[in-house]
């Protein structure tokens, strides 16, 4: 009996030792798994979407609840062990209750996007991009590091958005994925665009018109030719008052014989015109940004508006004209540049002007093109080539009389006009870096103000000798402002 009692005592001591050991181990696991805490003191458990983890507890629980079951799911394996699974990105809390249905402890659960799949996909699609770093939080995916080009950057962002959580705080409620982009693009991303607009226009115009009138000495006999509107009858009547003569008439002759007077009005003209347009605008902008340029002016346009009293008031609006340029470059890999280019050349056209509320508004002659091209650094491309030829002939004549050879010229009014134009627009992009101002020269650096002897006696508008800059700038280039000069260098 004594041996049996001793055996029971030894068994009891061994059981107590085992319980103490288990409690110590459980406490250690609990402390290691839930070492981080929120500001309110509750421990934090972090996992990604689709990831599962075991949680070993240091005290017995009888009931476990998840505040937001769409974020995480939990399974009770035993009163001392839980199985936690991440479902969707977000945060929630795990509430554990004891046998008397009282809350014994709370665990904060944070579920972040599973970026392991995103990293794998980035490595498969962009094996050369080794400097991309991906981190995740409960509500976003953060990209950092560097990429080789802007085209790769847009592709990486599009791929990351398919794995990113939806921005629930977005006011537009458009379910837009939240990706924080801290990626930087390597290389030069400033683009200088040189555009050369060249146009030659030639015109030829010939016209011939004849008007005449005949009146006898006593005024009983008369004849008038009004073809071509070189002359017209005055409002007071004729022949008591003189004729109204157009300003296009460039020759008038009169002769009298035996009391009879003949007057001839002749419009004979030949015009040759030649127009040269050359514009070379240059712009610099960053990759992906739009730059605008306009060299010209603005002309007023009257805009009638109804006033409150029932009348009409005239306000003035302005429209620009001249040489304009708008382009948006995107630097691609291997030094390629993708550009959306829209050059425009416009000028005032008074011949087609209209009158609005007593104001004469000129028309515009416009040459405009918009296209997308892809070039290498320094390559040129003609984005517009326009050959235009216009021919116009106009003959007004009296029936029968106007068809008589030679003599029929007196009864005809002829007009001939021919216009030819050729327009070429050449685009050249360059990848550029900032310049060292100390090594640059300006168009005014070579100008020297003339002294009194050079200006008054020699008639020179520039002085001779070398200019003293008095600064650390490089000496100006030889030559002056007279003759050909320029300062744009690719």
């Amino acid at each position: 009996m004594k041996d049996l009692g001793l055996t029971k005592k030894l068994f009891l001591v061994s059981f107590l030792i085992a319980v103490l050991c288990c409690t110590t181990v459980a406490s250690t696991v609990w402390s290691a798994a839930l070492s981080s805490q929120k500001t309110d003191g509750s421990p934090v458990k972090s996992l990604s979407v689709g990831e599962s983890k075991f949680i070993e507890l240091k005290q017995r629980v009888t009931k476990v609840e998840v505040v937001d079951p769409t974020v995480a799911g939990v399974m009770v394996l035993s009163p001392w062990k839980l199985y936690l699974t991440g479902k969707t990105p977000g945060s929630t809390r795990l509430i554990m209750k004891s046998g008397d249905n009282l809350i014994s402890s709370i665990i904060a659960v944070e579920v972040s996007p599973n970026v392991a799949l995103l990293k794998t996909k980035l490595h498969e699609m962009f094996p050369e991009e080794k400097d991309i770093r991906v981190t995740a939080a409960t509500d976003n995916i953060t990209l950092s590091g560097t990429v080789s080009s802007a085209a790769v950057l847009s592709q990486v962002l599009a791929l990351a958005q398919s794995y990113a959580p939806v921005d629930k705080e977005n006011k537009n409620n458009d379910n837009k994925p939240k990706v924080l982009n801290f990626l930087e693009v390597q290389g030069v991303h400033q683009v200088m665009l040189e555009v050369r607009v060249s146009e030659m226009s030639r015109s030829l115009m010939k016209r011939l018109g004849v008007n005449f009138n005949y009146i006898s000495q006593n005024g009983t006999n008369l004849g008038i030719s009004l073809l071509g509107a070189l002359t017209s009858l005055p409002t007071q009547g004729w022949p008591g008052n003189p004729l109204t003569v157009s300003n296009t008439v460039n020759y008038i002759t009169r002769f009298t014989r035996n009391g009879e007077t003949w007057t001839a009005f002749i419009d004979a003209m030949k015009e040759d015109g030649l127009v040269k347009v050359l514009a070379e605008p240059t712009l610099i902008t960053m990759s992906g940004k739009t730059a605008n340029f306009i060299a010209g002016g603005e002309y007023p346009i009257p805009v009638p508006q109804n006033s409150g009293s029932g009348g009409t008031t005239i306000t003035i609006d302005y429209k620009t004209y001249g040489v304009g340029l708008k382009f948006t470059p995107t630097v691609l890999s291997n030094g390629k540049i993708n550009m959306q280019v829209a050059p425009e050349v416009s000028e005032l056209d008074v011949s087609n002007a209209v009158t609005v509320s007593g104001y004469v508004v000129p028309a515009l002659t416009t040459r405009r093109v918009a296209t997308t091209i892809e070039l290498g650094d320094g390559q040129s491309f003609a984005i517009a080539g326009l050959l235009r030829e216009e021919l116009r002939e106009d003959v007004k004549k009296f029936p029968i009389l106007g068809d008589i050879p030679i003599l029929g010229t007196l009864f005809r009014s002829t007009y001939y006009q021919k216009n030819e134009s050729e327009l070429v627009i050449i685009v050249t992009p360059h990848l550029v870096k900032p310049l060292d101002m100390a090594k640059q020269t300006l168009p005014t650096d070579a100008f020297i103000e003339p002294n009194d002897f050079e200006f008054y006696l020699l008639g020179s508008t520039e002085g001779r000798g070398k200019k003293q800059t008095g600064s650390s700038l490089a000496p100006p280039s030889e030559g002056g402002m007279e003759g050909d000069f320029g300062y744009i260098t690719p």
Side-chain angles (χ1 to χ4, degrees):
M1 297 296 294
K2 291 181 180 180
D3 294 338
L4 182 59
L6 180 60
T7 302
K8 291 182 178 180
K9 290 180 180 180
L10 292 175
F11 176 77
L12 181 60
V13 171
S14 300
F15 178 76
L16 292 176
I17 293 174
V19 171
L20 290 175
C21 291
C22 293
T23 304
T24 303
V25 172
S27 178
T28 302
V29 174
W30 171 265
S31 300
L34 306 176
S35 56
S36 59
Q37 292 185 344
K38 277 189 169 294
T39 56
D40 58 0
S42 59
V44 179
K45 191 68 174 178
S46 300
L47 67 163
S48 59
V49 175
E51 183 183 5
S52 299
K53 291 184 178 181
F54 291 100
I55 300 179
E56 296 186 5
L57 308 176
K58 65 179 181 179
Q59 70 181 75
R60 182 185 179 90
V61 295
T62 58
K63 188 176 182 181
V64 179
E65 295 179 356
V66 180
V67 176
D68 189 354
T70 61
V71 174
V74 64
M75 181 183 298
V76 180
L77 300 180
S78 70
W80 307 95
K81 196 171 187 179
L82 305 179
Y83 186 72
L84 186 62
T85 303
K87 294 183 178 180
T88 58
S91 60
T92 184
R93 293 184 181 273
L94 192 62
I95 301 176
M96 291 168 288
K97 298 181 180 181
S98 60
D100 51 2
N101 204 26
L102 296 177
I103 298 176
S104 59
S105 61
I106 298 176
I107 301 177
V109 180
E110 293 184 351
V111 181
S112 60
N114 192 344
V115 296
L117 297 176
L118 175 59
K119 292 180 180 180
T120 302
K121 185 62 69 173
L122 288 174
H123 179 70
E124 293 176 354
M125 297 183 61
F126 310 100
E128 302 298 330
E129 305 295 333
K130 302 182 183 300
D131 297 326
I132 301 177
R133 293 185 294 272
V134 182
T135 57
T138 58
D139 59 347
N140 64 71
I141 289 180
T142 303
L143 301 177
S144 60
T146 58
V147 292
S148 59
S149 66
V152 174
L153 173 60
S154 61
Q155 294 171 359
V156 169
L157 289 177
L159 181 61
Q161 287 179 353
S162 63
Y163 290 86
V166 176
D167 187 3
K168 299 180 181 179
E169 297 180 357
N170 189 0
K171 297 181 180 180
N172 297 329
N173 194 23
D174 53 3
N175 296 327
K176 185 176 182 180
K178 189 173 183 181
V179 177
L180 301 182
N181 177 27
F182 296 101
L183 288 171
E184 296 182 358
V185 183
Q186 297 175 344
V188 179
H189 302 287
Q190 291 189 131
V191 180
M192 181 180 73
L193 186 68
E194 293 185 55
V195 177
R196 303 186 66 185
V197 181
S198 178
E199 181 180 15
M200 291 293 294
S201 178
R202 186 186 301 275
S203 63
L204 173 64
M205 186 273 294
K206 294 183 293 185
R207 69 174 185 260
L208 175 64
V210 178
N211 281 181
F212 61 87
N213 68 73
Y214 159 76
I215 183 171
S216 61
Q217 183 177 9
N218 55 11
T220 57
N221 299 323
L222 61 89
I224 302 175
S225 169
L226 302 177
L227 186 65
L230 300 181
T231 58
S232 60
L233 297 177
T235 56
Q236 296 85 355
W238 193 87
N241 295 302
L243 288 172
T244 301
V245 182
S246 171
N247 56 6
T248 62
V249 173
N250 47 36
Y251 181 74
I252 303 176
T253 183
R254 169 177 290 187
F255 61 92
T256 303
R257 183 180 179 182
N258 298 327
E260 296 179 345
T261 301
W262 289 84
T263 305
F265 307 89
I266 301 176
D267 173 27
M269 180 68 68
K270 179 179 180 180
E271 294 182 355
D272 289 318
L274 180 64
V275 178
K276 172 187 175 182
V277 176
L278 178 62
E280 298 185 6
T282 301
L283 284 180
I284 296 179
T285 186
M286 295 294 295
S287 175
K289 302 296 182 181
T290 301
N292 295 280
F293 170 85
I294 181 70
E298 295 182 345
Y299 65 95
I301 299 177
V303 180
Q305 294 182 351
N306 294 328
S307 60
S309 58
T312 302
T313 58
I314 302 297
T315 59
I316 302 298
D317 194 7
Y318 290 88
K319 184 175 180 61
T320 60
Y321 70 95
V323 179
L325 173 63
K326 179 180 180 181
F327 85 107
T328 304
T330 301
V331 179
L332 306 177
S333 58
N334 301 325
K336 294 292 184 178
I337 305 173
N338 179 277
M339 293 183 302
Q340 297 179 359
V341 190
E344 177 180 328
V345 180
S346 59
E347 57 186 355
L348 297 180
D349 185 5
V350 183
S351 61
N352 294 319
V354 297
T355 302
V356 179
S357 300
Y359 297 90
V360 178
V361 181
L364 279 181
T365 300
T366 304
R367 280 81 70 200
R368 180 187 300 116
V369 64
T371 185
T372 301
I373 58 178
E374 184 174 315
L375 299 174
D377 183 11
Q379 292 181 335
S380 298
F381 194 83
I383 62 174
L386 174 63
L387 293 175
R388 179 182 178 186
E389 181 175 343
E390 180 182 356
L391 178 64
R392 178 181 177 185
E393 295 179 344
D394 188 8
V395 179
K396 299 178 181 179
K397 57 185 176 180
F398 282 104
I400 303 176
L401 296 179
D403 295 327
I404 300 176
I406 303 177
L407 185 62
T409 305
L410 300 177
F411 301 94
R412 287 198 301 264
S413 175
T414 59
Y415 180 85
Y416 174 87
Q417 183 175 5
K418 183 179 182 180
N419 295 325
E420 295 178 343
S421 64
E422 180 178 2
L423 173 66
V424 177
I425 301 177
I426 299 177
V427 176
T428 306
H430 297 277
L431 294 175
V432 295
K433 295 182 179 179
L435 301 176
D436 185 1
M437 185 58 194
K439 299 180 180 179
Q440 305 307 312
T441 58
L442 300 177
T444 56
D445 290 343
F447 175 76
I448 302 176
E449 184 178 355
N451 54 34
D452 293 344
F453 174 78
E454 294 170 333
F455 183 73
Y456 290 108
L457 298 182
L458 300 182
S460 177
T461 57
E462 289 188 59
R464 306 179 185 275
K466 294 184 178 181
K467 181 179 179 180
Q468 302 297 327
T469 58
S471 66
S472 60
L473 294 176
S477 59
E478 298 295 333
M481 298 295 291
E482 296 182 354
D484 297 334
F485 66 96
Y487 64 94
I488 299 178
T489 302

